[in-house]
Amino acid sequence: MPVSVLHGAGDVRLEERPVPAPGAGEVLVEVAAVGVCGSDVHYYREGRIGDYVVEAPLVLGHEASGAVVALGAGVDAGRLGQRVALEPGVPDGTCAQCRAGRYNLCPAVRFFATPPVDGAFARYVVLLADFAHPVPDSLSDEEAALVEPLAVGVWANQRAGVQPGDRVLVTGAGPVGLLAMQVALTRGASSVTVSDVSPQRLAAATRLGATRVVDSREAPDLAAVVEADVLLECSGAQQAVSAGITALAPAGRVVLVGMAGSATGELPVQLIQTRELTLTGTFRYAGSYPAAIALAASGRVDLASLVTGRYSLADAEQALTAAVRDPATIKPVVVPGL
Amino acid sequence: MPVSVLHGAGDVRLEERPVPAPGAGEVLVEVAAVGVCGSDVHYYREGRIGDYVVEAPLVLGHEASGAVVALGAGVDAGRLGQRVALEPGVPDGTCAQCRAGRYNLCPAVRFFATPPVDGAFARYVVLLADFAHPVPDSLSDEEAALVEPLAVGVWANQRAGVQPGDRVLVTGAGPVGLLAMQVALTRGASSVTVSDVSPQRLAAATRLGATRVVDSREAPDLAAVVEADVLLECSGAQQAVSAGITALAPAGRVVLVGMAGSATGELPVQLIQTRELTLTGTFRYAGSYPAAIALAASGRVDLASLVTGRYSLADAEQALTAAVRDPATIKPVVVPGL
Amino acid sequence: MPVSVLHGAGDVRLEERPVPAPGAGEVLVEVAAVGVCGSDVHYYREGRIGDYVVEAPLVLGHEASGAVVALGAGVDAGRLGQRVALEPGVPDGTCAQCRAGRYNLCPAVRFFATPPVDGAFARYVVLLADFAHPVPDSLSDEEAALVEPLAVGVWANQRAGVQPGDRVLVTGAGPVGLLAMQVALTRGASSVTVSDVSPQRLAAATRLGATRVVDSREAPDLAAVVEADVLLECSGAQQAVSAGITALAPAGRVVLVGMAGSATGELPVQLIQTRELTLTGTFRYAGSYPAAIALAASGRVDLASLVTGRYSLADAEQALTAAVRDPATIKPVVVPGL
Amino acid sequence: MPVSVLHGAGDVRLEERPVPAPGAGEVLVEVAAVGVCGSDVHYYREGRIGDYVVEAPLVLGHEASGAVVALGAGVDAGRLGQRVALEPGVPDGTCAQCRAGRYNLCPAVRFFATPPVDGAFARYVVLLADFAHPVPDSLSDEEAALVEPLAVGVWANQRAGVQPGDRVLVTGAGPVGLLAMQVALTRGASSVTVSDVSPQRLAAATRLGATRVVDSREAPDLAAVVEADVLLECSGAQQAVSAGITALAPAGRVVLVGMAGSATGELPVQLIQTRELTLTGTFRYAGSYPAAIALAASGRVDLASLVTGRYSLADAEQALTAAVRDPATIKPVVVPGL
């Protein structure tokens, strides 16, 4: 089968590999669509993300959908043929973190496209059956692939405990910010303000339902223009973190979703104390796929309009460089069947 | 000013009383609209609800809106003229329940239309300013009045912790059920099934967004037709409680909203144990007005279509008997200015 | 190896079986001590518990400790020789309940001494290594075995959210009640009242730190003698459930730990509503072993004094009938090495 | 009556003032003991704390106990003569924060010894009756006064959600750290490690039950010597915050209790993300007095041994400077009746 393989920074090759065989409890999935994530782009450019280094050839792609075409031992026969969204991280299921329901923190998790585990830029992949989530026909293949970043937004909102009446501030209007924002609305947020430095991204936020957008180049002091109960920080930018926290009302909640660019950051600790703010971060998600699928399938979250380009496996490198070539890029998708 | 006064079961009279004067921290509100609640009807018919007995003349009505027309000492001048939804229960603010944020359980609470506290079937009422919640112009007077039963639905959903992906079952499609159902959708419920014995009420549920309705006379065994994560029990009927609980998945949550008809009820306790269900009840609401106003003002909850009749103060008795005369009655509203 | 096998109601036989071999990820444990649980006694007497029927020979015993004597593939070599408390239920680790951290509700869980899964009345057992919890030398073998019922008490307290200042009522002073009571104290409960019908059990409660004991034959109306914030119902008796709930203050919490004798029970539903009580049940426990081990190892929970008799495998039937012969029996223990 | 008044930095004078009269709902309390807090010392030295400036004469002292000697209108007669611990901050009871149960964040709170509200370095004070908490005779006057800093520790532990099995790290062994540490043990913490730079304080921690103490001058890298689930940061020192957070296991919780010395601080944000740590701060406490009183009255928290000196009102300045003169000072107490 054809596979797109990263051999090092800037070195992506189309290769042939044997179709993998599903083991016990696993399914073989014919891949239908794979979204390109910022982490894929980062591996492509740098050959690493922090301590994760591409030391052997690596298949990228972890936002994937497809159809079940073969079953491993013990898998229910009814699963054959099902269209599925692939949850790309499979934990060991028995460690202390897993037993506590925090399987995203399992130290033995095997996650697509994270060295040394291959991802989904391939014609076929195998996955534990319980992590291949059935999707209804109301979701297209591309939308089913984007359930993965939507799950990030679902988890961020869950950890923030967004509920009706909350005023939500989302800093950063990339794909995750645009999804976190939509999820906040599905949870009853009374207002969702989105800040970014890109007019194109802010326009997308407005189109997707933001009650207000703020160009943070013009209004860097967010506290001067908005008061919020929840900050969903999706930019990873230090100044957005600080400005966003300062805009929170007493008892406000902060979730750091966008990966910080450096190990440490300057936070307004006295405000955290005097206003009793609560701050946490998210690492992927746990148990978020069913809710993400339900929200997308019912039309309450728009995934389709995030797709800004489709590429064959042979053109995977084009997908990885799309954002550089076109600033209006939101989410390129690799379609192995093209 | 004209006031509609209940003197005993079946004895409502229009009377003149002096306009009350707002005390320190209070506002005088010209009443614009007052919804009729089942409890008003019950006092009218029976002269009592359980231990609460109408021993002295009582003004009914606790679902009210209006405009601030005078201020007591210490109230911000900016409040004059504001359109407001009236939260009808004022707690003492300092007892142990209040200090714990459970002011709805304050033993000293003074609640409209609950003996011996008069309600809002009157031209004017006074209320502590902090409990007269400003509403935007996108809410009509009648909608502002119905913020009260909506707050019941908001609180029920909050205590159930409804969130995206939850499958919700609402038993009972009276006004509170129809509102609880809508709130569940605003919190991201993936499905909301509504059961009732009245085809007219089920039709209303369908119109307001229920993903499925069940006529419980035809399908008394709810577990046979639906599986849910959350039960919002809004009928108070013993068989609905039992049937609804039996339909819950493991770790399901139950909120008893509809007042039970008798002190005790037969519950499936072994299921509560083996499925680790969690069950609670609601008594009014605490802190639910801001969210209720936000949901209604943004159009996510439809209040206007619940109104099935308008009555002057002089015709308050007609409002109290509307449901008997017309089974399609959902929410009669008294409009003192008519 | 010798094994004590239940062939049907009242029919326990000592037999020889081959020593089992640990599979991948599993350990072989030489059993040191096994507590006798009420469920063991029930299987012995009736040959069934509800829908669980002893249709094939069954080894009883699920409260076990021992030492790791052999390792399956992939298990860390350092585990050899460790003294361990055995968590007797192993879930599949990947289903929806497991992924949510509720592995006790896993429909595929394999639990010791629950048909058709054999228990620990044997010289050796195999168990997934992650469920064989290391214990410090400050815990004896018998205490390590009793970590299992202690985990039941830990979980009940966790679900009740017992915290400093709570007034706790424990109904039922059997082994689980005596442990739940002690755990409540370790969480800072300001008072723990224990009710039972047995003076001997109440004496044990007093010895173990209860701040007050109530003979419920003399004071069946618990609300008349105590007000509590939390009810840990450990008797399974219908009247204790009702009386206990009635004794709760507003916002009180109820956990039904003792298995109810019948499918349904009469509960004070109006009180649940007007006081906004929260009620749930427990089914075994999830993630409770580490805390249970820590509490027992530090001496904050007394397990040793619960042991009222020691029996060899050959005398397992004596252990199962001890409570009938001696009403002072709390916890008989089978010691396979005797 | 005699009162100790701060007129500016370093200027404390004993003066005579009229005995205040209790208003409606208030009690007059004869003050028995008042602990000296770091904030009192700070006002004495600097004449201000941040934005709070001593612009008019101010009575210091907010950790107070006493006896009710007169009642305002509407107060239950049974309160006369009661020994009480004084909760020094009275909120308005009706604002949005109060209604949410977060009365410590009430913007209109009136808090003892915070300009312009006078404190308790006086023979008598008035206080709202609901904030004068009765104490049992098992608590001495001095212990009743120290319920206030104990409430800080109770609240910190509650916000951290410390429960059995948690490994707790307390950075800073001043009075609050020594109390937070003890509370953690009463909640079942499996271990409590305390770090500080003072051998005398570490010795106090050991005496009060710390399972381990760390001299952070010798072991600045806390992560190298301890792993914890909860960090109760009681020093306010930037390096303790960073070092403490780094020592946390996945899903760890951080509570910043010690007031930070500067508005912003450098935090390990990537760790917060990849380990999904949760961080919050505390501002005083809400609803913590009853639990604090219960823990102290039952002997589970030792307050008496924190007292390192007793001073008359005339010697209040000596109390305020005790820590400078003697590094072994933990808690000086002013006794107006001396």
Side-chain angles (χ1 to χ4, degrees), chain A residues 264 266 276-277 279-280 283, chain D residues 264 266 276-277 279-280 283:
Chain A
T264 64
E266 194 85 3
E276 289 202 340
L277 308 178
L279 178 149
T280 189
F283 184 70
Chain D
T264 65
E266 193 85 4
E276 288 200 342
L277 308 178
L279 178 149
T280 190
F283 184 72

Side-chain angles (χ1 to χ4, degrees), chain C:
Chain C
M1 64 172 185
V3 182
S4 173
V5 183
L6 178 71
H7 284 262
D11 180 5
V12 170
R13 309 176 198 166
L14 189 68
E15 302 181 356
E16 281 291 316
R17 288 193 181 176
V19 173
E26 294 182 330
V27 291
L28 180 69
V29 174
E30 182 175 6
V31 179
V34 194
V36 174
C37 173
S39 65
D40 296 314
V41 175
H42 203 285
Y43 277 122
Y44 167 74
R45 286 197 200 154
E46 310 284 345
R48 67 187 302 161
I49 295 182
D51 295 343
Y52 291 101
V53 181
V54 179
E55 294 175 327
L58 179 74
V59 179
L60 293 175
H62 65 267
E63 305 176 351
S65 68
V68 175
V69 294
L71 308 179
V75 178
D76 187 279
R79 306 233 37 194
L80 203 61
Q82 279 186 334
R83 297 178 62 244
V84 289
L86 305 187
E87 184 172 349
V90 176
D92 67 21
T94 60
C95 72
Q97 297 299 333
C98 285
R99 291 198 304 264
R102 301 187 295 253
Y103 67 80
N104 56 327
L105 303 181
C106 170
V109 68
R110 292 178 54 83
F111 199 93
F112 275 14
T114 303
V117 180
D118 280 334
F121 281 1
R123 200 75 190 87
Y124 298 95
V125 294
V126 293
L127 187 66
L128 203 65
D130 280 333
F131 288 77
H133 299 269
V135 296
D137 286 341
S138 60
L139 282 187
S140 72
D141 288 341
E142 292 176 358
E143 290 169 323
L146 299 192
V147 164
E148 203 278 343
L150 177 53
V152 173
V154 166
W155 182 238
N157 274 272
Q158 184 176 327
R159 283 183 64 78
V162 173
Q163 63 173 353
D166 281 336
R167 299 162 297 175
V168 176
L169 171 62
V170 177
T171 47
V176 166
L178 293 172
L179 292 167
M181 176 208 107
Q182 291 186 71
V183 175
L185 288 167
T186 70
R187 294 176 72 105
S190 61
S191 68
V192 178
T193 302
V194 178
S195 74
D196 201 302
V197 296
S198 154
Q200 287 155 312
R201 291 182 163 193
L202 292 175
T206 298
R207 181 172 46 79
L208 292 166
T211 48
R212 182 177 182 185
V213 296
V214 175
D215 188 321
S216 46
R217 292 169 309 179
E218 298 165 9
D221 179 8
L222 287 169
V225 294
V226 66
E227 184 180 54
D229 301 299
V230 171
L231 167 63
L232 303 175
E233 206 301 301
C234 299
S235 75
Q238 170 65 32
Q239 66 199 61
V241 177
S242 295
I245 292 175
T246 308
L248 289 179
R253 297 146 272 153
V254 182
V255 180
L256 304 178
V257 186
M259 184 53 65
S262 58
T264 64
E266 194 85 5
L267 295 189
V269 287
Q270 280 187 348
L271 268 191
I272 290 173
Q273 296 187 291
T274 55
R275 293 187 188 166
E276 289 202 341
L277 308 178
T278 299
L279 179 149
T280 190
T282 53
F283 184 70
R284 297 165 181 164
Y285 37 76
S288 304
Y289 262 60
I293 291 169
L295 291 177
S298 65
R300 280 178 280 189
V301 170
D302 174 358
L303 293 171
S305 79
L306 299 189
V307 177
T308 48
R310 289 161 192 83
Y311 304 84
S312 69
L313 268 184
D315 290 337
E317 192 160 10
Q318 300 263 45
L320 291 162
T321 57
V324 176
R325 286 175 285 115
D326 180 0
T329 296
I330 299 177
K331 181 62 74 179
V333 172
V334 171
V335 180
L338 268 192

